Amino acid sequence: MSAQFDRRRFMALSGLGLGATALAACSGPSTSGGSGATAAAATDWSKVKPAAKISFMSSHPGTSQPIEQTLIDAFQSANPDIKVDLITGGSNYEEVAQKFQTAQAGNNVPDVVVASDVWWFRYSLSSTIVPVDEILKAVNDKTSDYNTTLYDDYKYDNAHWAVPYARSTPLFYYNKDHFKAAGVPDRAPKSWEEFAQWAPKIKAANAGQPGYANAYQYPALAGYAGWTLQNVLWGYGGGWSKEWDITADSDATVKALQWVQDTIVKDGWAGVSSKDAVSDMTAGAVSSTVSSTGDLVGTIKAAKAKNMNIGVGFLPGGPVSTSPVCPTGGAGLVIAKKTSPERQLASAMFVSFMTNAANTAQFSAATGYMPVRTTADMSSVISKTPEIQVALDQLKVTKSQDYARVFLPGADQEMAKAAAKFMNEKADVKATMTALSATLEGIYNKDVKPKLKS
Amino acid sequence: MSWLDASSAHAATEAMDEGDDGGPDQGARPGPGAGRRGRMKPPKSGAARNGSRRRTAGKYWTPRAKREAWVFLALALPNIVLIAFFTYRPLFANMYYSTLDWTLGSSVATAVGWGNYVEFFTSSDASTVLGITAIFTIATVGGAMFLGLLVAIALNAKVKGQGFARSAVFAPYVLSGVGVGLVWLFIFDPVYGVLSWILRGFGASSPQWINDPKLALVMVIIVYVWKNLGYCAVIYLAGLQSMPKDLMEAASLDGAGSFRRFMSITLPLLSPTTFFILITSLLSSLQAFDIIRIMTRTGNGTNTLIFESYLQAFSTYNRAGYSAAISVVLFVLLLLLTGAQLRFVERKVHYS
């Protein structure tokens, strides 16, 4: 082997030398200086001319690629001097976030990016996006007709960091035929207690069908378990956190999640989806589930194709609280910082256009996401898909999410892991949640607390 | 980035340890049939070439030696530059990042020295992740090699349709891991999967393949073995076909049964093949990513070193520095493993 090894060693060593020189040229993060604060001088937007070309990176939430392209075309014909490239950044919010964050290492970041509830705050902490208040004023968007709850979800450090775009709440979806077969009322249950009465009947009445599994299917753990579980937690008076105080192991929280475990393990009428609970339902395997309003239009379409009747309703309440027990969610649009004032101004024009009253109504009609402006005329949308009315009504009784889920990096993943333990592996709820609390506490102290402004 | 760094880091190990000048993955894997006479064999001309090099390295730079040196540089330099830029640069950058507390996407970071390593090895992450990595690697390498050998023996028989059978066995290996993962998800899905449909036929209900962490690990192991079995089988097959017939005949004449012949002749003579497959599949198993990522997105129960490194940086944690530290751990592990194999395991290899 010796001759070969000599050559190899030579190659390795020469590589080492060159590697060291090349290393000097690499562009990593800077370790000197402060936190890259937002102290930059305010731009005088009236002197800025919008750029000729910007890019929009999206995951097309709720299969929205066609409607996004339609709206972009409309924007381009209204502003012939600005061209917008639609970039597919992945199939979910996490993949888009990954691309946006890695793009920061280079010099070509996308201008407008879809950012979900758990991402915009992190971008604002790491200064990769700009606040939208001033710049929207510059493009004559008053922002006063944004739905206040949805817009204020993006408020931090006296500024808004995104505009609401594909905003959703969870909805209770049920198979009307299954409910009818069991002789229970044709509506969503008012409370989880009520559903617990119905569930065994529903399961018994439909168990004969091939492939039937459960009366209720919890959403897949990879699909934001921490988001929908807030409904049960709040109904029991618990939650992941109260502001920055982690309450994931409080008595109320543990009691709520114990109930969740019982529905699967003890009572046996509920299951956990492996991939997508709505698909499980349109496959006829389960009678009900909780899923985003963003799935509404697609689900109704899928059900119709199979001659299945799907109903929707408010999320059920709990023994302590019956309302509000519904979290808001979904995604907004953020404007990247590492570009130029010209591109940022064009981006502001674009986000304002995408979310104006007429376009948010169109977007809502195509997907089921909420209209984000109070001035949006939804009458034609509702006449076509009456179920959207339920989502609109529920929007009035929503609550912003627990800080621990949306503001702690990785918290959603940790919640899903904890849920996997007590939902699938029958682990002790109290012990699992105590461990989760400690983890969340650790993330807060290490990754968030030192970076908070004020 | 650090995930990319990690993978190029592994390419580096491969490149260094297998003497493969081509760098990335594919180069290190021989095509079908390249098997036994792979690069693990000591070159016969070793001594002669050594001699000529010693002369070049001596005191006198004869015009000829100079010219040879220039030719050498002209041929080797492009490669060296490529390796340096795409393998060593990211490798060292990654090592540097592993000493930072750096949120992915942020333009600033704090130096924390060994902090990330201390955190990894003192938290429960280390034992979980290393344990899962060990189980996954041993099961996939062992499983694919054992089954691959059995399949190779079956394919070595002279029967009708063996050409078709050989391609069928090798086919999964060429398929894209993402496609394979998606298709197998449709098989394993407990609600509308094929497997659950078959099980229902027997009145049984499907196990929670995806949601139960232990079963999730079993699931990805099954799929990974299925995909890589063809690779082992084809290389073993090449080994089997270059088996000297005279030895076999002599053994038969001496009254050795087929099992005895296999144990005492075939298996020892296959040892260079086995050694080659062991090194290459160990490296690729430790770097297995596509199937795991597609089938178990949250890494619940399937967070091997490389996937944990990805999750830490890219899923929702965004801890690029910590992730880089994990990939350095993986790099060192690969280096040690391959070094140990070259040093100790190869001694047991027979070259016919």
Side-chain angles (χ1 to χ4, degrees), chain A residues 438-449:
Chain A
T439 311
L440 296 179
E441 213 56 84
I443 296 177
Y444 173 65
N445 287 325
K446 187 163 183 306
D447 292 339
V448 177
K449 202 175 166 193

Side-chain angles (χ1 to χ4, degrees), chain A residues 395-440:
Chain A
L395 184 56
K396 290 166 198 148
V397 288
T398 50
K399 192 173 147 186
S400 289
Q401 299 186 54
D402 295 333
Y403 282 19
R405 173 170 183 265
V406 286
F407 296 154
L408 301 185
D412 207 27
Q413 190 106 359
E414 291 297 334
M415 287 164 187
K417 273 192 201 165
K421 286 206 183 90
F422 66 79
M423 290 166 94
N424 297 318
E425 299 167 73
K426 308 174 177 70
D428 181 66
V429 177
K430 177 81 190 168
T432 310
M433 295 312 286
T434 309
L436 175 66
S437 270
T439 311
L440 296 179

